[in-house]
């Protein structure tokens, strides 16, 4: 049980008559410090694991996280996320061409040019290639260029209809 | 990337509804997908092994080429600084100061160089030293014939991958 040894040492000190100094337990101290070290390392690993999940959120949800997820993060984690976003954006912009290459797009091999999508929530107007606009109203269905829809599908605004 | 841009600007000029447009679009998407996948994979590896990769960069000899592009290197350094700052803040906030400082090289798992990989030989190699698997075995040498395929521990042939003498498959 964690902390047992430490409690033992403290109890020993308490039990001793006022002012009397019990023998210094080098073993005891060493064991406690080792336990502290193990706990610390486990905690570090857990904390780091959370960071890896937060990093995955950027790739899953995009640069703006849904509110309920945000409340699950500490201020420091949020700061890490913001820095990560910036770093990633800088890197992607450097990838040649005029605006760089958005690596968070094109996550799946292209199967067809256009796909059938259903709108899950009202999203307002959406402009496509040739300049025409489409009104994304809840439950409306559209036949749109796949690459334009990718991000909206990931955000849960559109749903790919597979018939 | 330049090819992608060139194709995109061609498309903008082409007539709307032209069949060529669709085919070119498809091609652009395929190229973009392959390129993105490759760069994504590199980035994921950099993030996964960042302290070990940066350590390797630090100890790189003068003439040796870097395994990272300058932009990737900048990204890796930023990622390291960001993660270090975060872990230090967490440690300071919650832990008594007598505990060890953050050791990223220990915290982040190293890449497993002992893993088995498939390879195809591009240039004939002679006298490759193979480590024994068990205590009863001894180390031995093999020759790698051009065009042959093998399943071998990455560590054994790592320099050959770097030189292009073998190709991982």
């Amino acid at each position: 049980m964690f902390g047992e040894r430490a409690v033992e040492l403290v109890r020993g000190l308490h039990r001793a008559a006022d002012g009397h100094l019990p023998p210094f337990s080098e073993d005891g101290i060493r064991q406690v410090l080792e336990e502290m070290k193990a706990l610390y390392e486990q905690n570090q690993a857990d904390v780091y694991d959370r960071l890896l999940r937060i990093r995955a959120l950027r790739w899953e949800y995009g640069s703006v996280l849904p509110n309920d997820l945000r409340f699950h993060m500490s201020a420091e984690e949020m700061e890490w996320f913001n820095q990560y976003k910036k770093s990633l954006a800088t890197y992607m912009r450097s990838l040649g061409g005029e605006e760089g290459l958005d690596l968070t797009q094109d996550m799946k091999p292209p199967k067809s040019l256009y796909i059938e999508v259903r709108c899950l929530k009202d999203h307002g107007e959406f402009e496509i290639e040739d300049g025409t606009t489409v009104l994304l109203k809840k439950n409306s269905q559209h036949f749109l260029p796949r690459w334009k829809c990718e991000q909206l599908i990931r955000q849960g605004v559109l749903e790919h209809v597979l018939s | 990337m330049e090819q992608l841009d060139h194709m995109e600007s061609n498309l903008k000029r082409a007539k709307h509804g032209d069949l060529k447009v669709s085919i070119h679009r498809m091609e652009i998407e395929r190229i973009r997908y392959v390129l993105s996948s490759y760069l994504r994979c590199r980035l994921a590896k950099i993030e996964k092994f960042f302290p070990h990769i940066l350590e390797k960069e630090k100890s790189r000899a003068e003439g040796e080429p870097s395994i990272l592009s300058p932009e990737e290197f900048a990204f890796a350094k930023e990622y390291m600084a960001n993660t270090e700052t975060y872990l230090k803040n967490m440690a300071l906030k919650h832990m008594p100061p007598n505990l060890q400082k953050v050791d990223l090289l220990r915290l982040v798992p190293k890449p497993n160089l002992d893993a088995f990989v498939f390879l195809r030989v591009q240039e004939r190699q002679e006298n490759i030293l193979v480590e024994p698997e068990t205590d009863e075995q001894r180390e031995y040498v093999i020759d790698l014939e051009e065009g042959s395929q093998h399943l071998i521990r990455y560590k054994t042939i790592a320099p050959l991958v770097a030189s292009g003498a073998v190709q991982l498959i």
Side-chain angles (χ1 to χ4, degrees), chain A residues 2-21:
Chain A
F2 282 124
E4 247 176 37
R5 201 72 185 87
V7 170
E8 243 177 71
L9 289 175
V10 173
R11 255 200 222 115
L13 205 58
H14 267 261
R15 271 201 293 261
D18 281 303
H20 173 68
L21 192 64

Side-chain angles (χ1 to χ4, degrees), chain B residues 106-166:
Chain B
R106 281 244 310 264
L107 178 65
V108 179
K110 270 169 73 154
N112 179 17
L113 300 176
D114 274 328
F116 280 91
V117 292
F118 282 98
L119 62 88
R120 183 181 297 120
V121 182
Q122 308 285 82
E123 296 164 14
R124 183 165 194 275
Q125 301 294 313
E126 294 183 356
N127 297 332
I128 302 298
L129 189 65
V130 181
E131 293 291 314
E133 294 291 318
T134 63
D135 286 332
E136 286 97 42
Q137 277 184 350
R138 314 199 42 198
E139 53 186 27
Y140 56 97
V141 292
I142 56 171
D143 291 336
L144 299 176
E145 299 298 328
E146 182 177 328
S148 64
Q149 289 174 267
H150 301 268
L151 177 62
I152 198 170
R153 287 196 196 273
Y154 179 78
K155 207 167 52 172
T156 311
I157 47 91
L160 301 178
V161 177
S163 70
V166 307

